Amino acid sequence: MAGKNWQAGSKNSLATAVVCLAAGALPSAHARAAPDGFLPSSHVTSLDPGMIWEILIGGIVVVSLLGSVAIWAASALRRGQRVRLRRNAFVSSALNRLNQGVVMTDPRGRVIFCNDQFLHIYGLTRADVPPDMTGPELREMRRRKGMLDVSDEEFFKRAAAPEGLVTELPDGRSVLVKYFTLPNGGSVVTHLDCTEQRKLSRKLSSTTQFLESVLDNVPVCVAAKSIEDGRYIFANRAFERFSRFSRDHIVGRRAEEIFSPATAVAIVKADESALQAPEGSFRNEFRVERGSQQRVLASNRVVARNEKGEPEFLIALFDDVTERRSLSRELENTKKFLELVVDNIPVALIVESVRDGKYLLANRSAEAILNRRREDATGLTAADIFNPREAKLIVARDEAAIRKRGLLTEEHPISTKDGLRLFLTRRMTVFDDAGEPQYLIKTHEDVTDRRQTESRMAHMAYHDGLTDLPNRAAFLQALAQMIEACADTDEEFAVLCVDLDGLKEINDVFGHAMGDKVLIEVARRLQETARGGVVARLSGDEFGLIIDGKQPEAGRTLAARIAEALAREFLIDDKAVRTGVTTGIAVFPHNGSDAAALLANASAALFRAKQRSRGTVNLFEPEMDQQIRDRRVLHQDLSVAIKNGELSLHYQPQAASGETVATSTVTGFEALARWMHPVRGFVSPADFIPIAEESGLIVEMGEWILREACREAASWPTPLQIAVNLSPVQFMRGDVVSLVHSILLETGLSPGRLELEITEGVLIEDFERGLALLRRLKALGVRISMDDFGSGYSSLSYLQAFPFDKIKIDRAFVINLGKTSKSANIVSAIIDLGHGLEMSIVAEGVETAEQLSFLVQEGCDAVQGYLLGKPAPINQYADLVGRAPDNAMEPARKTG
C-alpha cells in the first residue's frame, strides 16, 4: 500500500516538473522578442519566419531534452522502486519466516508491521489488524480475546525486562513477550510461543529437583567440581554433614580453602589420579583430618566429559569408612580368632552340605578321623574317604540326624591311624531361611581314654584305692541286695565289722608305707578267709564282711577264722609285725531290716567290744541300739546348743607350787567348756566332748571357746595366763594357725599370755604336718603345752621333736599319789624329764594337801585341781583377775 502511494506520487511529480519546464521556456522566448518593439500577439504573423523556426526548433529541443530528462527520471524512479520493493519483500519474507511474532510501531505508536507468526500465535487475520491500528488498540483487542491479563504499565515493565513477560493463552499455550524501543522512538515487540520450552523447563526443573533430592538423601558424600579451576560446584547433604560445613561455604571454593593442608593435598592427589586414569575413574582410600580426628574415606572419582570428549567436571563419591574399617579389622580378628578356636578345640569338627553330602569345613582335629589333611577333604564325601561299610553307616546316621531335625548323639568306633577308637559323635542340622536343611554339623570326640578312665573311676568309686576291696558304698549296695534276696524268706545272714588293732602303732614305728603294706596283706587274708564272701574296707582300719548261714553261729565262726588268720605274723620288708582284730556282729533280720541299720548295729557292737576289751567278738544287743540313739540325740542337741548359745566357759586356776594353798600363787586359768541343757540340765564334758570330736562339731565349738577365752582374758586388769585346749580335729580340719592369729588380733590379747594345750593325737594322725603347725603357732608367740602326758604311746618321741613350753602330768598319776609307789615314781620321773628338757611341769588333778606337798617336794613347777579351785564362772575369781567383786562379769556365753 505504501509502495503504491509512493508510485502515484512519483507520476504526479513528473508531470508537474514537465509543466514547469515548459512554462519557463515560453517567457524566455517572449522576453527575447520584446525589445524588438514589444510586438503584441496579434503581430505574430509579422515575425520573421526564421525566428519562428528558431523558436520552434529551440522549443522542440527543449521539449526533447525535458522529455529525455523525464524519461530518465522515470526510469530511475522505477528502478529505485523495484529495489525497494525487492528489499521490502525480502524483509517481509524474512520477518514472516521467523518463529517469533514481530510487531513494529512508529514513534506515534501506530502499527506499521506485524508478521504472519504473530497472527498465527494469537489466531488473528490481517483484517483484525487495520493499517491505522495503534499499539494500545492491539493490546486491548488481545485482552478482549483473553490473550493478555496485565495492564499496559505492567506489560511495558515486565516485557522490557531481560527475562520478558510470559502470558498464558486460553488454550493453555504460553507466549514469551519482549519489548524493545527503537532509536527513532518506535518499538519492536517479539512474541515467542514457549509452550514446549516451558514444559521442558518444568520437566528439567522437576528432574533437577528430583536428582538433587536423590543426591541429598544419598548416604554417600557426593561432590562435583570444575576441572578448569578446581572449585566445587555441588555438594550434597552427606558432604555437609561429614565436612561440618554448609553447602554455601563449600560451593565456589577449592579444597585448600575448605580443608586442612594435609587433607587438601590428599584430595588434590586423588583428583589428579582420576584425571590421569585411562578409564576416567579412580578408587582409593585416604585419610583426612576432621577437627581433632583422623577419618578414613573410601573414594570413587569419575571424570565427566563434554560432547567434544574434553574433561569438564570431576564427580567425587566418598564414604566415611573409619568405623567400617575398624569393624572390618575387628571382624577379621574375630574370624582369625574363631578359626584359631575351631582349629584348636579338642574335638573334631566337620561341616557338610545336606544337598550333596560334600564336606565344606574340617578343623585340624578332624584330620585324625579323615586320615588326611583337612584341605584335601574339602569337597569330598564320606564315600570318597571311608571304606564302604563305614561310609554306609556314616551316611545312614547323617540322614537320621537330618530327619530328626535336632541333636543326635551317639557313640561308635571309627578307624583311625592309631587303630579303632571310640568316638562320641554329635550331629546337628542347620536350616536355611525357608526351613529346609542346609548344613550338617558334626563333632567327633575321642572318648576312648575317657571311657576307660570313667570305668576306672567307677571302679574307684566303689573300691578302696589301696586294697582294691569294695568300699563302704559298695558294701551298702551289697547289703541292700542281700536284704532284697532274703526278704520274705527264712534266710538270715550276719554283718561283721572288723577293726584292725595295732595299725596306729605300726604307722608310728615303721611309717605309713609299712602300714599300707600291712593293710594290703590284711585284705588278702580276709578274702581268703571269707572264701568268696563279700569283704569291704569301711574306713582306715575297719573292714566289713557278709556271711550267710545259720546265725549267729556262722558269724562267730567266721570271726574266729579271721582272728586266727590275722594273728599270724606279717613279714614285710624283712620286718615282722603283728596285729589283732576286734569284731562286732549284727544279724539280719533280727538286728535290722535295712542296710544302714544293719551296718550301724554291727558298728555299735564293735564299739562295745572295743570298750570292753580289744581282740574280742561282740554280738549286737538291743540296748546298744538305745545307746546309739541316745548318742545321736545328744549330737543333735549339741549342734543346737552351739547355735543357740547354751555353752558357757568356766575357769579353773593354775598356780605356782607352794607348801600350802595359801602360798601357791595363781598364775593363770584354764578355760573349760560347760553345757547347761534346757531339759537334761548339766551335761558332763566327758559326754559331749567325744561326740563333738567324732562329729566334727568340735571345730566350730573350739573356735568359739578360743575366741571367748581370749576376749575374757584381754579384759582382766591382772595379766594372767589363759590356757585353752585344742582338739586334734581342729588341726586336721582347719587352718588353726590363721584362726589363732586372727583371734589374737581381734581380741587384742598378748600372744605371750595364751597357752594352747594339745594332746599327742595332734602328732599321731600326721606327724610332719602336726609338727609344722606347732612350729607356726610357736612363731606367733603363744605357749604350747603337752596335755595328759604319760597316757599315750610315744610321748617321749614328741618331746624330742618339738620344744614344748610346758608338760601337764595326766591326772591319773596324780590321783594315785600316796596310794601306789608306782604313781609316785612315774610323777618324779616326768618332773625330772621335763626339767632336763628345760620344760616347766604342771600337775593336774591335785585334790589333797598331801598330793600338793609331794609335788612341791619333787620340784613340780605348777599345780591345778580342786584343791586350789574348781572350774567356775570367772566372777567367782574376780579378785584374782583384778576386778572388784561387784564389777565381776557374768559367765561367758556363746551367742548364736
Side-chain angles (χ1 to χ4, degrees):
M1 182 185 298
K4 292 178 182 180
N5 294 335
W6 180 86
Q7 190 174 1
S10 296
K11 291 180 179 180
N12 293 332
S13 299
L14 184 58
T16 303
V18 173
V19 171
C20 290
L21 286 174
L26 288 176
S28 296
H30 179 72
R32 283 193 299 270
D36 291 334
F38 294 99
L39 296 176
S41 56
S42 60
H43 292 264
V44 172
T45 58
S46 63
L47 292 177
D48 185 13
M51 181 63 69
I52 294 171
W53 282 108
E54 287 179 4
I55 293 171
L56 288 172
I57 293 170
I60 293 169
V61 171
V62 171
V63 170
S64 298
L65 178 60
L66 292 174
S68 298
V69 170
I71 292 170
W72 173 84
S75 177
L77 288 172
R78 284 194 295 271
R79 284 196 303 272
Q81 184 179 9
R82 283 193 297 270
V83 170
R84 285 193 300 273
L85 288 173
R86 284 195 299 270
R87 185 171 63 249
N88 289 342
F90 172 76
V91 171
S92 178
S93 176
L95 291 176
N96 282 322
R97 290 179 181 275
L98 291 175
N99 65 340
Q100 300 183 43
V102 178
V103 176
M104 297 180 181
T105 61
D106 59 14
R108 292 181 294 176
R110 290 184 304 173
V111 177
I112 60 173
F113 179 78
C114 65
N115 68 351
D116 294 341
Q117 184 64 20
F118 174 80
L119 300 174
H120 175 71
I121 289 174
Y122 294 105
L124 302 176
T125 63
R126 286 288 176 184
D128 295 326
V129 186
D132 55 349
M133 177 174 279
T134 64
E137 292 174 345
L138 180 59
R139 288 191 294 276
E140 184 60 32
M141 180 187 67
R142 286 173 55 200
R143 286 192 189 95
R144 290 196 305 267
K145 293 179 176 290
M147 299 177 183
L148 183 64
D149 57 356
V150 296
S151 64
D152 284 354
E153 181 182 358
E154 185 73 14
F155 174 84
F156 287 118
K157 179 181 178 182
R158 294 172 59 183
E163 62 273 11
L165 168 66
V166 177
T167 60
E168 300 291 339
L169 302 185
D171 58 2
R173 290 179 297 135
S174 300
V175 179
L176 175 63
V177 181
K178 290 189 177 182
Y179 176 83
F180 305 94
T181 58
L182 298 177
N184 65 354
S187 67
V188 176
V189 183
T190 62
H191 300 259
L192 176 64
D193 187 344
C194 61
T195 305
E196 295 301 323
Q197 182 181 350
R198 294 264 291 177
K199 290 181 180 178
L200 291 175
S201 178
R202 283 193 292 268
K203 288 183 179 178
L204 178 60
S205 177
S206 176
T207 302
T208 302
Q209 290 178 358
F210 171 74
L211 292 176
E212 289 182 353
S213 176
V214 170
L215 291 176
D216 273 344
N217 289 280
V218 167
V220 178
C221 298
V222 180
K225 62 171 59 177
S226 171
I227 292 178
E228 182 180 356
D229 56 10
R231 297 181 185 276
Y232 286 100
I233 60 175
F234 175 78
N236 69 345
R237 289 178 185 169
F239 193 112
E240 289 181 302
R241 288 193 296 269
F242 172 76
S243 65
R244 297 176 180 172
F245 294 118
S246 67
R247 194 175 315 188
D248 295 337
H249 182 80
I250 297 170
V251 173
R253 286 183 171 86
R254 297 185 181 91
E256 58 268 21
E257 296 173 338
I258 303 173
F259 304 102
S260 66
T263 300
V265 169
I267 292 174
V268 171
K269 186 176 180 181
D271 293 344
E272 292 174 351
S273 299
L275 291 171
Q276 295 170 4
E279 61 276 11
S281 64
F282 178 70
R283 292 176 179 270
N284 76 321
E285 288 187 3
F286 59 94
R287 292 184 177 273
V288 299
E289 295 177 358
R290 189 180 68 179
S292 61
Q293 296 179 330
Q294 287 276 341
R295 311 297 294 179
V296 180
L297 300 184
S299 168
N300 182 16
R301 283 170 159 72
V302 180
V303 178
R305 300 179 183 273
N306 59 20
E307 61 275 6
K308 296 179 181 179
E310 299 171 344
E312 189 169 0
F313 304 110
L314 183 66
I315 302 173
L317 295 89
F318 59 90
D319 193 13
D320 186 351
V321 296
T322 309
E323 284 76 14
R324 191 187 309 167
R325 288 292 169 267
S326 176
L327 180 60
S328 178
R329 287 192 297 270
E330 186 176 345
L331 289 175
E332 184 65 25
N333 293 336
T334 302
K335 179 183 177 183
K336 291 180 180 179
F337 170 73
L338 292 177
E339 289 177 349
L340 184 66
V341 170
V342 168
D343 270 347
N344 289 277
I345 56 176
V347 297
L349 174 66
I350 298 174
V351 180
E352 68 178 55
S353 172
V354 172
R355 181 173 56 83
D356 52 17
K358 290 183 178 180
Y359 291 145
L360 305 177
L361 172 69
N363 67 349
R364 187 177 295 112
S365 299
E367 293 177 349
I369 295 176
L370 301 173
N371 294 315
R372 66 194 69 208
R373 295 189 316 127
R374 51 185 174 165
E375 294 84 358
D376 299 333
T378 302
L380 301 180
T381 65
D384 300 326
I385 297 175
F386 302 100
N387 62 57
R389 185 180 63 82
E390 289 183 333
K392 183 178 180 180
L393 175 63
I394 292 172
V395 171
R397 302 313 300 158
D398 290 348
E399 292 175 351
I402 295 170
R403 288 193 302 270
K404 184 180 179 183
R405 302 176 73 88
L407 180 64
L408 181 64
T409 304
E410 60 185 359
E411 291 185 9
H412 56 86
I414 297 179
S415 298
T416 69
K417 62 181 180 179
D418 298 324
L420 198 63
R421 305 283 293 179
L422 183 65
F423 283 87
L424 173 63
T425 300
R426 299 181 179 90
R427 291 174 168 86
M428 174 60 74
T429 307
V430 178
F431 301 91
D432 59 17
D433 294 338
E436 295 298 323
Q438 187 174 17
Y439 304 113
L440 183 65
I441 300 176
K442 298 189 290 186
T443 61
H444 303 275
E445 184 179 1
D446 189 341
V447 295
T448 308
D449 297 335
R450 184 196 302 176
R451 292 296 177 259
Q452 292 174 351
T453 301
E454 288 175 353
S455 178
R456 290 193 297 270
M457 290 178 64
H459 180 82
M460 291 171 60
Y462 291 97
H463 289 78
D464 176 55
L466 177 64
T467 63
D468 202 37
L469 289 176
N471 59 13
R472 179 180 290 271
F475 188 72
L476 288 172
Q477 283 188 355
L479 265 180
Q481 292 172 0
M482 284 290 291
I483 292 171
E484 184 178 358
C486 297
D488 301 326
T489 68
D490 295 335
E491 298 292 329
E492 54 185 5
F493 61 88
V495 177
L496 280 69
C497 281
V498 178
D499 187 72
L500 192 62
D501 300 330
L503 182 62
K504 288 185 179 181
E505 288 76 3
I506 294 173
N507 286 331
D508 292 338
V509 175
F510 300 106
H512 287 276
M514 173 67 80
D516 290 344
K517 293 179 181 180
V518 170
L519 286 171
I520 293 172
E521 181 61 22
V522 167
R524 188 189 64 79
R525 293 188 185 183
L526 287 175
Q527 286 179 307
E528 289 180 353
T529 305
R531 299 172 184 174
V534 177
V535 181
R537 186 185 179 192
L538 303 181
S539 62
D541 56 358
E542 187 176 343
F543 296 85
L545 293 91
I546 303 176
I547 181 69
D548 57 1
K550 182 65 176 177
Q551 301 301 337
E553 291 79 4
R556 290 184 180 276
T557 300
L558 178 59
R561 292 204 308 268
I562 291 173
E564 182 182 354
L566 298 184
R568 298 194 305 270
E569 186 177 73
F570 293 93
L571 186 61
I572 298 174
D573 296 337
D574 298 329
K575 296 182 178 63
V577 295
R578 293 181 177 276
T579 64
V581 291
T582 303
T583 306
I585 302 175
V587 177
F588 174 83
H590 311 293
N591 303 141
S593 58
D594 59 80
L598 277 173
L599 184 57
N601 290 339
S603 297
L606 174 62
F607 180 76
R608 178 62 62 86
K610 290 191 292 184
Q611 281 184 327
R612 290 178 178 175
S613 177
R614 288 280 181 174
T616 60
V617 177
N618 194 57
L619 190 65
F620 177 79
E621 298 174 356
E623 59 269 18
M624 297 180 186
D625 186 43
Q626 184 61 44
Q627 293 174 357
I628 292 174
R629 283 198 296 269
D630 290 343
R631 286 176 63 85
R632 289 175 181 170
V633 171
L634 192 60
H635 170 264
Q636 294 296 327
D637 290 348
L638 178 60
S639 177
V640 173
I642 294 173
K643 294 178 181 179
N644 294 344
E646 296 177 10
L647 299 181
S648 63
L649 289 185
H650 285 198
Y651 297 85
Q652 187 173 28
Q654 295 177 338
S657 299
E659 290 295 336
T660 64
V661 173
T663 58
S664 298
T665 305
V666 174
T667 58
F669 290 87
E670 180 179 1
L672 301 170
R674 294 294 182 263
W675 179 16
M676 183 60 68
H677 194 281
V679 176
R680 298 171 183 259
F682 178 77
V683 181
S684 171
D687 293 333
F688 71 82
I689 293 296
I691 293 177
E693 290 186 328
E694 290 175 11
S695 63
L697 290 174
I698 192 65
V699 175
E700 182 181 358
M701 187 170 72
E703 179 180 345
W704 175 80
I705 292 172
L706 179 63
R707 177 176 285 105
E708 191 60 34
C710 291
R711 185 192 65 80
E712 173 62 43
S715 68
W716 297 340
T718 303
L720 301 179
Q721 294 290 120
I722 183 68
V724 179
N725 289 278
L726 292 183
S727 167
V729 179
Q730 290 178 266
F731 279 79
M732 298 302 295
R733 296 193 183 184
D735 188 353
V736 68
V737 179
S738 297
L739 175 66
V740 172
H741 187 211
S742 64
I743 289 177
L744 288 173
L745 294 175
E746 176 186 333
T747 60
L749 181 68
S750 172
R753 293 179 58 197
L754 177 62
E755 181 179 302
L756 300 177
E757 298 184 1
I758 68 164
T759 63
E760 61 188 22
V762 170
L763 298 172
I764 289 176
E765 293 295 333
D766 189 337
F767 179 77
E768 295 297 333
R769 181 176 182 275
L771 192 62
L773 291 174
L774 290 177
R775 287 171 177 166
R776 289 173 60 194
L777 287 171
K778 186 81 170 177
L780 293 178
V782 302
R783 298 167 60 84
I784 308 294
S785 66
M786 169 69 78
D787 196 14
D788 299 335
F789 185 80
S791 62
Y793 175 73
S794 54
S795 297
L796 295 179
S797 64
Y798 300 146
L799 293 180
Q800 185 179 6
F802 183 78
F804 289 92
D805 296 289
K806 185 185 293 184
I807 296 175
K808 295 188 72 173
I809 303 174
D810 187 77
R811 62 180 315 212
F813 302 111
V814 176
I815 290 175
N816 290 320
L817 288 176
K819 297 179 182 179
T820 63
S821 59
K822 291 183 179 180
S823 294
N825 294 334
I826 291 174
V827 169
S828 298
I830 293 174
I831 294 174
D832 292 340
L833 176 65
H835 288 164
L837 295 174
E838 298 182 351
M839 299 178 185
S840 62
I841 307 298
V842 178
E844 58 180 347
V846 178
E847 298 180 356
T848 65
E850 291 78 9
Q851 294 170 349
L852 176 61
S853 176
F854 175 83
L855 292 170
V856 170
Q857 291 176 5
E858 294 296 324
C860 184
D861 301 294
V863 292
Q864 175 183 348
Y866 280 13
L867 181 64
L868 284 81
K870 295 182 179 180
I874 196 64
N875 61 342
Q876 294 188 19
Y877 299 107
D879 56 333
L880 295 179
V881 298
R883 288 201 192 111
D886 55 342
N887 292 331
M889 296 180 62
E890 291 298 320
R893 295 276 178 179
K894 182 178 184 302
T895 58

